[in-house]
């Protein structure tokens, strides 16, 4: 058995901390095959507890037959949090994680993270931007700052062999007290969450770059993106002149995949700011 807990949590949960967390009740946020996410209170502090109860051999074989690596427990997310912290990419704070059992189909595990309060997802924050007819100077500065930080995050992850696999606006949380919301050009405190499917390698394969970038593009297509916005992102992510970026087949693949995802989700073709 593997178990890590911050000292204050060990005192609050007692000697059987693993069992206590696996049986702790709270506000249910999400359920998936063999896992559950809860908001819980421990010692007056709010946490998010993601519990894995084992996905079963059927789910494991289904993923393998689809050429996908199955997520077997919380270790993937715990290690991803640690890696993002080393890369200085803001994410959740891991207060504890553990796993027990050798059978991969029935292994129990959990990851416990401090709740990120007073935040809003970028999906909600940007809702309605597509209907905005006139942008003030401050609003344009804010949008460009968001684009810059999203591009920097994507470039940092991919340059270090990390890909998210669910890289959508809804998985970025923006703190409502971010300096950039009141000071034009100031820092926006963005936290990347939902890391349970993150992959880590020496180098990020192109197909996984495309998946991440297409997911982000798809989720932002109704957020008032313009041709210049896309060009700014491409130039920032690629860290080379735009002319070189436009010649890369990467962006054509990203555009096609984003259009496919949009059509699948909404039943209609999107208006692409940059048809490649």
């Amino acid at each position: 058995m593997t178990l890590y807990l911050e000292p204050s949590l060990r005192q609050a949960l007692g000697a059987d901390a693993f069992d206590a967390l696996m049986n702790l009740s709270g506000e249910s946020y999400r359920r998936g095959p063999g896992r559950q996410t809860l908001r819980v209170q421990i010692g007056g502090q709010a946490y998010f507890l993601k519990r894995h109860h084992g996905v079963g051999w059927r789910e494991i074989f289904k993923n393998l037959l689809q050429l996908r690596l199955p997520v077997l427990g919380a270790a993937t997310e715990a290690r991803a949090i640690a890696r993002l912290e080393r890369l200085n990419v803001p994410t959740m704070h891991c207060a504890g994680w553990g796993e027990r059992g050798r059978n991969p189909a029935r292994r129990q595990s959990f990851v416990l993270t401090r709740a990120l309060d007073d935040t809003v997802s970028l999906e909600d924050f940007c809702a309605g931007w597509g209907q905005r007819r006139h942008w003030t100077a401050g609003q344009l500065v804010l949008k460009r700052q968001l684009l810059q930080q999203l591009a920097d995050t994507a470039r940092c992850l991919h340059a270090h062999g990390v890909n998210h696999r669910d890289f959508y606006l809804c998985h970025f949380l923006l703190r409502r007290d971010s300096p950039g919301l009141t000071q034009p050009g100031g820092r926006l405190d963005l936290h990347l969450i939902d890391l349970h499917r993150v992959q880590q390698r020496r180098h990020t394969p192109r197909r996984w770059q495309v998946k991440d970038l297409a997911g982000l593009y798809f989720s932002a297509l109704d957020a008032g993106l313009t041709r210049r916005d896309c060009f700014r992102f491409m130039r920032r992510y690629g860290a080379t002149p735009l002319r070189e970026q436009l010649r890369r087949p990467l962006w054509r693949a990203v555009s096609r995949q984003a259009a496919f995802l949009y059509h699948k989700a909404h039943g209609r073709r999107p208006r692409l700011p940059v048809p490649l």
Side-chain angles (χ1 to χ4, degrees):
M1 182 176 75
T2 300
L3 178 63
Y4 160 75
L5 288 171
E6 292 182 337
S8 60
L9 286 169
R10 287 187 177 274
Q11 294 176 0
L13 293 169
D16 295 324
F18 200 112
D19 284 331
L21 286 167
M22 295 304 290
N23 293 288
L24 191 63
S25 60
E27 181 183 358
S28 181
Y29 265 66
R30 187 176 304 168
R31 285 183 178 272
R35 69 177 184 272
Q36 179 186 28
T37 302
L38 302 168
R39 182 184 173 97
V40 300
Q41 292 280 339
I42 305 174
Q45 170 68 46
Y47 296 90
F48 277 95
L49 173 64
K50 188 174 291 186
R51 293 194 294 234
H52 296 254
H53 300 279
V55 296
W57 286 113
R58 183 176 181 178
E59 184 71 16
I60 290 175
F61 287 133
K62 184 183 78 171
N63 279 267
L64 293 175
L65 288 172
Q66 294 173 346
L67 303 180
R68 297 187 303 186
L69 288 176
V71 178
L72 300 178
T76 298
E77 187 151 24
R79 290 166 184 154
I81 292 172
R83 183 69 182 282
L84 264 60
E85 287 178 341
R86 293 195 297 271
L87 294 176
N88 292 319
V89 174
T91 184
M92 306 164 286
H93 174 78
C94 181
W97 83 277
E99 63 179 5
R100 66 184 176 188
R102 294 186 177 182
N103 184 338
R106 301 177 63 85
R107 184 179 300 151
Q108 292 186 322
S109 60
F110 73 86
V111 62
L112 186 70
T113 59
R114 289 184 191 169
L116 287 166
D117 291 324
D118 198 27
T119 61
V120 58
S121 76
L122 284 191
E123 180 181 54
D124 292 335
F125 185 75
C126 300
W129 283 16
Q131 287 72 49
R132 185 177 287 173
R133 291 181 174 272
H134 303 289
W135 292 74
T136 67
Q139 290 169 340
L140 287 173
V141 169
L142 174 60
K143 182 167 70 164
R144 290 167 187 169
Q145 180 71 6
L146 277 174
L147 284 167
Q148 174 181 312
Q149 290 189 214
L150 289 171
D152 288 347
T153 298
R155 185 180 72 242
C156 178
L157 295 181
H158 294 164
H160 292 89
V162 179
N163 61 283
H164 189 278
R165 298 177 71 190
D166 291 303
F167 203 58
Y168 308 117
L169 287 181
C170 63
H171 290 152
F172 283 91
L173 298 185
L174 173 65
R175 290 192 61 88
R176 297 180 190 273
D177 59 356
S178 295
L181 295 178
T182 55
Q183 304 169 12
R187 176 74 181 175
L188 296 170
D189 292 329
L190 288 177
H191 296 260
L192 182 58
I193 65 169
D194 267 24
L195 309 180
H196 74 276
R197 300 211 309 148
V198 163
Q199 295 176 333
Q200 300 186 48
R201 305 176 180 84
R202 186 181 299 272
H203 303 289
T204 303
R206 181 177 176 273
R207 66 172 292 223
W208 292 109
Q209 285 182 270
V210 170
K211 178 173 174 57
D212 276 0
L213 294 171
L216 187 62
Y217 190 20
F218 146 72
S219 65
L221 281 173
D222 290 332
L225 285 180
T226 66
R227 185 182 180 91
R228 286 189 175 185
D229 292 334
C230 294
F231 287 164
R232 286 190 180 95
F233 184 95
M234 293 162 67
R235 186 169 58 241
R236 186 86 180 189
Y237 174 86
T240 58
L242 179 61
R243 183 175 298 178
E244 294 183 22
Q245 290 300 311
L246 288 172
R247 290 198 295 263
R248 295 181 65 186
L250 168 73
W251 298 111
R252 286 192 290 275
V254 167
S255 184
R256 287 195 298 268
Q257 180 67 11
F260 170 79
L261 291 172
Y262 191 95
H263 185 270
K264 182 178 179 181
H266 302 290
R268 65 181 188 275
R269 295 186 179 278
R271 181 195 65 81
L272 296 176
V274 183
L276 294 172

